[in-house]
Amino acid sequence: QCHETALLESARHGLSDIPGFKEHGTVPGKAAVLSFSIDGAHPHDLASILDAEGIAIRTGHHCCQPLMGKLGVEATARASFAFYNTLEETERLVKATHKAVTLQDKLWNAMASGVLFLIPWAPSVCLDFGIQFEHSGGQSAPTLGFSLD
């Protein structure tokens, strides 16, 4: 259990400097499970980006939807550590999470500025990614448009 706790502490320390990082469930002596959220980063988006880096985490309500509703938490990301995990894997989780948050920030900033840009999709195919803002009920919400050329 000491090994798993060390991995949990390493991940907690590495992720805690991300702006908007919040750990959910911090009782002393808890299992080596890190449930967290990051302001502006939906856990499912975060998991998709981490998956592309070869890192698997769980996301969602984790069978405690009433509690999450009471706490005002839509969903969390969850990393679990066991005897077979290594410090290197924990470091990869931290590095990839930082990368994911940076990527989401860049995407959001591009969306907020109304920038139109191209994302390479395949050698002969490009994904045209356009953003426009729709006004509804006094609020502005981005809508995404995709087309393959």
Side-chain angles (χ1 to χ4, degrees):
Q1 188 176 5
C2 187
H3 172 73
E4 292 92 345
T5 302
L7 296 176
L8 172 65
E9 290 302 320
S10 175
R12 178 184 286 145
H13 176 73
L15 296 173
S16 65
D17 64 346
I18 296 175
F21 172 83
K22 180 177 182 183
E23 181 178 0
H24 303 279
T26 58
V27 297
K30 73 181 203 116
V33 175
L34 180 62
S35 291
F36 64 96
S37 58
I38 300 171
D39 291 343
H42 194 283
H44 295 123
D45 295 336
L46 181 61
S48 294
I49 296 169
L50 292 178
D51 182 56
E53 297 288 324
I55 298 166
I57 62 171
R58 298 260 186 196
T59 61
H61 294 115
H62 314 295
C63 300
C64 59
Q65 190 170 5
L67 174 61
M68 288 190 159
K70 178 80 171 161
L71 296 174
V73 178
E74 182 180 331
T76 64
R78 185 180 76 197
S80 303
F81 305 97
F83 66 91
Y84 49 79
N85 291 116
T86 65
L87 184 58
E88 178 188 54
E89 290 171 327
T90 303
E91 291 167 351
R92 284 182 52 224
L93 166 71
V94 169
K95 183 177 178 181
T97 303
H98 278 268
K99 181 179 176 180
V101 170
T102 300
L103 176 65
Q104 286 191 325
D105 285 346
K106 287 180 181 179
L107 179 60
W108 179 251
N109 289 337
M111 288 172 50
S113 66
V115 173
L116 182 69
F117 55 93
L118 297 176
I119 299 174
W121 190 259
S124 62
V125 180
C126 245
L127 177 65
D128 184 3
F129 181 85
I131 300 108
Q132 65 185 48
F133 286 86
E134 291 184 358
H135 300 279
S136 172
Q139 295 184 347
S140 179
T143 58
L144 306 178
F146 298 91
S147 65
L148 289 173
D149 294 334

